[in-house]
């Protein structure tokens, strides 16, 4: 059972990585149920298409939310299932975690930045690069799964190995994405800068959520662009196909980083949220991507200069590609499933 949300200012990254976990659990073990207050139809449809049952939650406060979650868990146990629960979101508290464990359910907590004073969990997962260096306060029996060896990749990425990459003299086909919400409104800024970068023959694929606040602005840029210079794709059902069709990615430093790392795509990263700083810095330090830093400090001149430099450097892109593939091997979600199954066997609830 998974408890995660997206929408109303909450990013889709948490939702998509728990979707990956739910898919893998169905493949390996059995049923997955999503408990959520998500208000983004495209995300809910993705979950349903994966064969996952969605249970909407109307509660807006944590005590009521917790009560509803425990009722759903008890209903599953009453029907003969042996349920466990994963929670993913910054609004869950130590008290929320502790109550689930006290009720006798195995609990997987997904985290990014060790922001809580205490983590009550059977298993604590942080898939981000550098997670091993964070100082976590956990229960004595908590199993920790830290680092990109536990990356939660969706089935569309795991179903086959990455294809060999060719790095042309000039990277002309570029994918731009800043997440489904793009609350920082970066997509339009990036696209506008790349269109003026003076790289000949450029083709931009801008991937956006249907509710993105700057979608209309990007679509106006596409209408004004000549030929097939700019294509806008909203909520694509298959992200891997789009990623494999491009030479270079410009992206917010969120969960997309693990997908492009697995595929070996050279990338420019922009930090649009505090929880992305460690990801961008870590990938930059190990030579798997180029971080441009905090979005408010990234201006048009920086974007254009960085893009021109990387787009015209096939050797540099090849090095980034090689290093990025060393970060994510695609088996992380299966390792997490094995750890959860182990928690059942040892009764580590």
């Amino acid at each position: 059972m998974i408890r995660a949300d997206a929408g109303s200012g909450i990013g889709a990254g948490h939702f998509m990585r728990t979707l990956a976990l739910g898919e893998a659990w169905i493949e390996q073990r059995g049923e997955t149920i999503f408990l959520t207050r998500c208000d983004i139809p495209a995300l809910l449809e993705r979950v349903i298409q994966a064969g996952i049952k969605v249970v909407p939650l109307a509660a807006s406060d944590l005590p009521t939310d917790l009560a509803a979650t425990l009722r759903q868990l008890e209903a599953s146990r009453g029907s003969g299932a042996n349920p466990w629960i994963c929670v993913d979101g910054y609004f869950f508290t130590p008290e929320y975690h502790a109550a689930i464990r006290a009720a006798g359910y195995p609990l997987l907590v997904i985290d990014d930045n060790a922001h809580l004073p205490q983590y009550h969990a059977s298993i604590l997962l942080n898939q981000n690069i550098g997670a091993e260096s964070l100082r976590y306060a956990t229960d004595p029996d908590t199993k920790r799964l830290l680092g990109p060896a536990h990356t939660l990749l969706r089935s569309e990425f795991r179903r086959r190995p990455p294809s060999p990459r060719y790095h042309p003299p000039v990277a002309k086909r570029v994918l731009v994405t800043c997440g489904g919400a793009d609350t920082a409104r970066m997509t339009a800024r990036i696209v506008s800068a790349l269109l003026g970068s003076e790289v000949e023959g450029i083709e931009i694929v801008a991937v956006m959520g249907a509710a993105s606040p700057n979608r209309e602005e990007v679509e106006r840029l596409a209408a004004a662009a000549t030929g097939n210079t700019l294509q806008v794709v909203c909520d694509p059902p298959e992200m891997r196909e789009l990623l494999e069709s491009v030479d270079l990615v410009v992206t917010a430093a969120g969960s997309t980083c693990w997908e492009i790392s697995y595929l070996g795509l050279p990338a420019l990263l922009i930090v649009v949220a505090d929880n992305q700083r460690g990801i961008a810095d870590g990938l930059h330090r190990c030579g798997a991507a180029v971080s441009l830093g905090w979005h408010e400090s990234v201006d048009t001149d920086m974007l254009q200069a960085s893009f021109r430099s990387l787009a015209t450097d096939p050797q540099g892109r090849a090095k980034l590609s090689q290093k990025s593939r060393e970060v994510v091997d695609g088996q992380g979600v299966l390792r997490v499933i094995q750890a959860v199954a182990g928690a059942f066997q040892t009764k580590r609830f």
Side-chain angles (χ1 to χ4, degrees):
M1 193 167 297
I2 291 168
R3 176 69 187 87
D5 290 328
S8 300
I10 303 170
H14 297 174
F15 207 78
M16 298 306 285
R17 67 189 180 190
T18 47
L19 170 59
L21 185 65
E23 289 175 334
W25 186 257
I26 289 174
E27 293 170 6
Q28 299 289 318
R29 298 280 170 173
E31 184 184 26
T32 299
I33 299 174
F34 242 89
L35 309 179
T36 184
R37 295 196 306 260
C38 176
D39 58 6
I40 302 178
L43 290 181
L44 292 173
E45 183 61 27
R46 292 285 294 273
V47 173
I48 293 169
Q49 288 180 352
I52 297 172
K53 178 182 178 182
V54 174
V55 175
L57 295 180
S60 59
D61 64 277
L62 277 182
T64 308
D65 183 302
L66 174 61
T69 299
L70 290 173
R71 283 197 301 271
Q72 185 65 47
L73 284 163
E74 186 60 31
S76 295
R77 186 155 60 185
S79 66
N82 193 12
W84 63 277
I85 184 165
C86 164
V87 299
D88 189 1
Y90 299 139
F91 46 87
F92 297 112
T93 64
E95 292 76 19
Y96 192 105
H97 298 159
I100 290 176
R101 292 205 78 185
Y105 298 103
L107 173 64
L108 167 64
V109 175
I110 302 181
D111 186 67
D112 289 306
N113 48 24
H115 64 288
L116 294 179
Q118 183 77 20
Y119 288 80
H120 303 289
S122 311
I123 302 172
L124 173 66
L125 167 63
N126 183 332
Q127 66 179 9
N128 297 327
I129 193 166
E132 300 90 338
S133 65
L134 295 178
R135 300 178 65 178
Y136 278 105
T138 64
D139 294 339
D141 63 340
T142 299
K143 181 178 180 62
R144 303 183 184 192
L145 305 178
L146 304 178
H150 307 97
T151 299
L152 303 177
L153 284 183
R154 301 193 305 279
S155 61
E156 67 174 287
F157 290 92
R158 294 185 287 106
R159 65 191 175 201
R160 68 178 188 274
S163 303
R165 292 214 62 82
Y166 166 67
H167 302 283
V170 178
K172 295 184 178 181
R173 188 163 169 82
V174 187
L175 186 141
V176 175
T177 179
C178 292
D182 191 10
T183 54
R185 298 175 177 264
M186 280 300 299
T187 305
R189 289 175 53 194
I190 295 169
V191 166
S192 181
L194 298 189
L195 288 172
S197 65
E198 299 179 353
V199 175
E200 294 185 4
I202 189 172
E203 297 179 12
I204 303 171
V205 180
V207 178
M208 311 184 72
S212 175
N214 63 169
R215 176 183 169 186
E216 291 184 0
E217 183 179 356
V218 176
E219 289 178 337
R220 284 196 296 270
L221 290 170
T226 57
N228 296 321
T229 302
L230 174 57
Q231 175 189 8
V232 181
V233 180
C234 288
D235 295 322
E238 291 276 338
M239 188 67 170
R240 176 170 178 160
E241 182 179 351
L242 282 175
L243 287 171
E244 288 190 321
S245 73
V246 302
D247 306 314
L248 176 63
V249 176
V250 184
T251 179
S255 57
T256 300
C257 289
W258 312 125
E259 297 166 358
I260 62 178
S261 290
Y262 178 64
L263 297 177
L265 273 161
L268 296 173
L269 309 181
I270 299 173
V271 179
V272 301
D274 285 336
N275 64 348
Q276 297 178 1
R277 294 182 189 272
I279 299 173
D281 291 346
L283 291 173
H284 186 92
R285 284 197 303 270
C286 74
V290 176
S291 173
L292 303 184
W294 184 245
H295 67 98
E296 292 178 345
S297 301
V298 178
D299 60 20
T300 298
D301 289 341
M302 179 189 291
L303 271 169
Q304 291 178 340
S306 300
F307 173 66
R308 281 195 300 267
S309 176
L310 191 56
T312 57
D313 181 9
Q315 289 78 22
R317 281 183 276 118
K319 289 179 182 178
L320 291 175
S321 178
Q322 179 181 349
K323 286 292 184 181
S324 67
R325 281 187 170 171
E326 294 172 3
V327 175
V328 177
D329 66 3
Q331 301 302 306
V333 70
L334 302 181
R335 296 185 182 102
V336 175
I337 293 296
Q338 291 170 359
V340 171
F344 276 117
Q345 294 169 2
T346 60
K347 302 298 182 182
R348 189 193 296 113
F349 296 179

